[in-house]
Amino acid sequence: MTTHAVWAFRAGLLVIVTAIMAGIWWLLQALGLPMSFSPAGIAAWFNSQGNLGPLLLLLLMLLAVVVGPIPTLPVTAAAGLAFGLLPGALLSIIGAMAGAMIAFTLARLLGRDALRARLPSNPLFGSQGSQRLLFLTVLVTRLVPIFSFALVSYAAGVTAISVGRFALGTVIGMLPMTLVFASLGRAFELNPLLSITAAVVILTVMTLLPWYLSRQRHSRLARWLHLDDEPANKAGHK
């Protein structure tokens, strides 16, 4: 396939996904989706739709993850209120996972090659990126609800993480907070100072850790992450 054909395919895929997301938003609006995104209001709307309620939850969660600005946690809380803890949590996870995989795939098709070429030895973006480090990064960012679910999905798509590890890290990481919000049935307010502090700390660690590991290839942490194997592997290919 030529370069022109590859980019035509990618552009076409982006247009199709955009059209689908716009169609979902139009449908939800036409059916009266409350714009306040209050868990109680959304739950009442789900229940008012009868048998369509679970499907609308899946579509709303899918839209929230792929598009981004729509908050996912109030939707999860509404799912718990409308359908019960376990069914609501399960539906939320299915919808969020479907959206995460779409976002991940789009980012991988549109931006992965460019970053891999620019940062060939980076432990996050290079072709020999550490799968353990990337898995832990996805897992931690999923565990902390202050990070955008959509942003993490798109960011992971341009890294070297495998599809399987991304999916596993996402499921494990999102499960605790999904169950918490589905059981509460409402979105609790996070302390702003605590949220900002946690975000700064985690982002600082995630930024500095690759820099440290690139200079300490034979440290205990690098060995556990399998980073110290790369020079040997490269030498073996020469």
Side-chain angles (χ1 to χ4, degrees):
M1 185 178 291
T2 65
T3 302
H4 178 75
V6 169
W7 280 105
F9 167 76
R10 292 173 177 175
L13 180 63
L14 183 59
V15 169
I16 291 172
V17 172
T18 301
I20 292 174
M21 293 302 112
I24 291 175
W25 178 248
W26 176 85
L27 175 63
L28 296 177
Q29 289 286 292
L31 292 175
L33 172 67
M35 296 309 298
S36 66
F37 282 96
S38 158
I42 299 175
W45 179 69
F46 285 149
N47 288 329
S48 70
Q49 301 300 315
N51 293 333
L52 284 178
L55 175 60
L56 295 177
L57 166 59
L58 292 176
L59 292 177
L60 180 57
M61 187 63 78
L62 181 71
L63 183 69
V65 174
V66 175
V67 176
I70 301 173
T72 58
L73 293 180
V75 178
T76 301
L81 273 175
F83 309 114
L85 171 58
L86 293 181
L90 180 60
L91 288 168
S92 297
I93 289 173
I94 293 173
M97 275 301 302
M101 296 310 300
I102 291 174
F104 178 88
T105 302
L106 283 176
R108 175 137 297 186
L109 289 175
L110 299 176
R112 170 70 182 135
D113 291 342
L115 273 175
R116 180 168 51 189
R118 288 179 176 272
L119 303 167
S121 61
N122 187 283
L124 293 182
F125 303 106
S127 58
Q128 301 293 328
S130 168
Q131 292 298 315
R132 284 186 176 180
L133 174 59
L134 289 163
F135 172 78
L136 290 175
T137 302
V138 171
L139 180 64
V140 170
T141 51
R142 294 304 195 201
L143 285 169
V144 182
I146 57 176
F147 290 100
S148 165
F149 202 94
L151 182 59
V152 172
S153 301
Y154 283 110
V158 298
T159 70
I161 192 170
S162 67
V163 176
R165 286 180 184 263
F166 168 75
L168 183 61
T170 295
V171 169
I172 296 175
M174 72 181 291
L175 185 58
M177 291 310 299
T178 298
L179 291 173
V180 167
F181 274 84
S183 64
L184 285 176
R186 62 184 178 84
F188 58 84
E189 294 292 332
L190 295 173
N191 182 286
L193 180 59
L194 180 61
S195 299
I196 294 173
T197 302
V200 169
V201 169
I202 293 175
L203 289 175
T204 300
V205 171
M206 294 307 175
T207 301
L208 295 179
L209 187 57
W211 174 84
Y212 167 79
L213 291 172
S214 67
R215 286 158 176 77
Q216 301 292 330
R217 290 282 182 178
H218 301 291
S219 66
R220 181 176 298 178
L221 178 58
R223 289 197 302 271
W224 184 77
L225 293 171
H226 294 164
L227 296 180
D228 61 331
D229 293 338
E230 292 177 25
N233 289 339
K234 291 178 181 177
H237 288 301
K238 291 182 178 179

